[in-house]
Amino acid sequence: PTLFRSREEKIFEKYKNNKQPLIPAEVDSPCLFHCDLWCNNILHTESEVMFVDWQFLGQGDNMFDLGMTILHNTNYAMNKEVIKDLLTCYYNTFNDFARRLGAESTETFEEFTQRFNTVGVKSAFLIGSVIDDGFLHYPILLQRVWNMARLMPE
């Protein structure tokens, strides 16, 4: 990607020496998250999905995993319409499944999207930006972190 004098370069520079604003706040109701959901750690059949390779298990906001999953599994330039489609699908599927289990979400789609933008995107950008040596071995990782930088707020 072209870095020179771009909006994305400014994002990288802004957080280069101070990553503290990217660290998600603690949540009232933390959940477990995988933190390494890339395609090789997601197994599926027509009726089941399984996640494997749990050595990075953590707890916190589930948006951390959603942001990381998008970071690890997208090779195309992200834009707001693609993200909106992904979030809509995730939100609707999650809420349908929760209803089948007898639970009800109180979070609106707008709140969900805001949480993704403040926790998911920033968390994925944070993790991506601290693995500089990964860029040397996996150039596609640079493109993926670049995609997350495009989604970062100014």
Side-chain angles (χ1 to χ4, degrees), residues 23-113:
I23 298 172
E26 289 190 34
V27 293
D28 294 332
S29 301
C31 69
L32 294 177
F33 55 76
H34 189 280
C35 196
D36 194 22
L37 286 176
W38 66 298
C39 59
N40 286 5
N41 289 339
I42 304 170
L43 307 176
H44 65 89
T45 66
E46 286 185 29
S47 60
E48 290 184 296
V49 175
M50 294 182 297
F51 302 137
V52 298
D53 197 12
W54 287 87
Q55 78 269 18
F56 297 120
L57 177 69
Q59 84 174 28
D61 194 315
N62 62 335
M63 286 300 156
F64 182 91
D65 248 0
L66 187 56
M68 290 297 294
T69 301
I70 290 171
L71 170 67
H72 284 308
N73 294 288
T74 55
N75 292 332
Y76 55 90
M78 300 301 278
N79 64 53
K80 293 186 187 302
E81 286 305 309
V82 170
I83 289 296
K84 184 177 180 185
D85 289 346
L86 287 170
L87 294 179
T88 299
C89 180
Y90 183 94
Y91 179 82
N92 291 336
T93 302
F94 178 84
N95 284 315
D96 289 345
F97 188 74
R99 274 190 288 283
R100 282 187 275 155
L101 294 174
E104 196 67 39
S105 174
T106 59
E107 186 173 48
T108 67
F109 181 71
E110 290 73 26
E111 292 166 335
F112 171 83
T113 302

Side-chain angles (χ1 to χ4, degrees), residues 108-123:
T108 67
F109 181 71
E110 290 73 26
E111 292 166 335
F112 171 83
T113 302
Q114 180 60 32
R115 201 160 51 87
F116 173 77
N117 290 329
T118 57
V119 177
V121 172
K122 286 183 178 182
S123 298

Side-chain angles (χ1 to χ4, degrees), residues 134-154:
F135 298 148
L136 300 175
H137 302 291
Y138 305 103
I140 194 68
L141 184 58
L142 177 59
Q143 179 64 51
R144 290 173 178 171
V145 174
W146 188 252
N147 288 342
M148 294 312 280
R150 287 188 179 116
L151 299 174
M152 289 284 290
E154 292 284 341

